[in-house]
Amino acid sequence: MERPRLLAFAIWILWSRTHPDLLVHNFTLRERLEKVYRRACQLRLWWLVRYCAGRLHKAMNSLAPAITNMLVRGKQITLGVRNRPGAREEIIVRPIAPSDLNRLLFECCPADEPQAAVFHQELIIACSDLMSHNPQVFEGVLTIRLSWLSDAISMLLNYVRITGALKFSGVSTGTPPTPGTTGIPTELDFIRKLIRTKYRREKVIEEFKKSCIYDLSPTVVKDVVTALMTRTNWHLLSSLQTRRLNGALNRMPVNFYDRVWTILERSTHGIIIADQFLPQQPTLSDMTRFELTFSYKIEAMLSRISHPEYRQLLVELLSIIATILERNPEIAFTHSRIDCDSLIKKGFALFAAEEGIKDLNDLTPFYQLEGQALSTSTATFLTKAVVEFILAGRHFSQVINIFGEGTPEEKTLPSQHHRGKMPKIAYTGRASSEKKKRHVGGSSSSSQHHHHHQQQQTPLLRLATPLTPEPSSGTVTPRAITPSPLSSSLNTSGGGGQDESCRLQ
């Protein structure tokens, strides 16, 4: 027991060559490995504790209730490790029995890394506890992928080491610091704020000197998960580091999946996401905008990307396309597919041409740009690429009218609602005989009453033309009479009545 790690390896070699019930000095191999496990717990050798627990297929009692707690909150859980020989990922979408859950954990994880299955159990407990006490920190995270979460923990601890936050004797970092993180505070201040631990200074330093996440204590693992989900002090990280962490955590913007549905509605030929084709039909017919099935489908397509920073860049691109479509209803992609990979390459090509970058295969300079800066950001060049794609393909669903909804002539004419209430103007060629008599001063009372009644029934503004002399009658023309204003009276020889021919009723 002086060298428990070497002893555990030797016991497992005998176990794999024979069987676990082989007696060695009156003790079976299983019993001997159990003794090593207990000794490692006493010495707090956490890597060895997880290794022995994985070889013995130990499982926590509260694992199945923790899975159910996350499922009822609309989250999926993915067990296992991706892109590893002999391992796979398994998505849990419904409550599962403890025995089946234990079997899946060890089947999906690599056989040569039994500590990974034990570490995943700790992550399930940590996420379930955090979700119970602070569920809003999981907004935007639809699927909790344990292998991605393990990578996020490794990246976060690596960032703390490589940025110069820890400068202790005997600690060497082979990776140079990422640009843009010079403002990180030194030593324990950052660590205490980051993981919110209650350990003493020496304990925290000792934990961060360890080179593997399996060496961390369960308490520190839980604290780091909390720091990741609550984004504690993320403003101290660079844009590349932030993108990697968000991509590893599968974190999406608010209403992201609804906005992808909007893009698909106006994309006749579908969308290509990471070399995967998403057709418009029958997707829109079989699903609805707000159901989780569509969200799970998009999340599964994005999760096949191996690089989390590229995955996050795809999320930014889709959000930009959705914003353009929401603000420009006349745009619709009716002539070709939306190839997100080509648009990202086009955006990076525009950035490389502006900055003089010759290597177009390494997107690291593009990842290091800010995501929301006004002058130079990834959004600037991705928007340029999308606009060029729209203009080159002439993706417009309707004619763009600079005057708005209608023709310029319709804008200048009154509407039908107001047209019926306006006074009608009629121009008469000759005045009636009654008006002639009134102009020369002669009119009968009956004719005046008849004319007044006629004007009340016909609300017209009649503008009489000047009369010309008739040779046969020899009547005096009223050309010398100057019409008075509408409110004035015309004094004639017949009386002081108003000029009825100029009245506006």
Side-chain angles (χ1 to χ4, degrees), residues 198-214:
K198 298 180 181 179
Y199 287 161
R200 294 174 300 160
R201 178 186 179 92
E202 293 78 9
K203 277 292 183 181
V204 177
I205 294 175
E206 190 66 27
E207 288 288 338
F208 274 78
K209 280 184 179 180
K210 297 174 180 177
S211 59
C212 181
I213 59 174
Y214 301 129

Side-chain angles (χ1 to χ4, degrees), residues 21 86 92 94 138 194 236 314 376 397 427 438 468:
D21 297 328
I92 299 180
R94 60 182 60 88
F138 286 88
L194 186 67
L236 302 175
L314 270 176
T376 302
S397 59
Y427 297 91
R438 254 197 331 277
T468 56

Side-chain angles (χ1 to χ4, degrees), residues 308-366:
E309 59 270 23
Y310 185 79
R311 179 181 187 273
Q312 194 65 19
L313 204 62
L314 270 176
V315 173
E316 296 178 19
L317 174 64
L318 291 173
S319 300
I320 290 173
I321 297 176
T323 302
I324 293 176
L325 293 182
E326 290 168 359
R327 299 179 180 179
N328 300 274
E330 68 276 0
I331 297 177
F333 301 96
T334 57
H335 300 292
S336 61
R337 300 176 179 178
I338 302 178
D339 192 346
C340 297
D341 302 310
S342 299
L343 291 176
I344 289 180
K345 292 180 181 178
K346 179 63 176 178
F348 176 64
L350 295 174
F351 169 71
E354 184 174 313
E355 298 294 330
I357 299 175
K358 297 181 180 179
D359 188 5
L360 299 181
N361 296 322
D362 185 12
L363 295 178
T364 304
F366 200 49

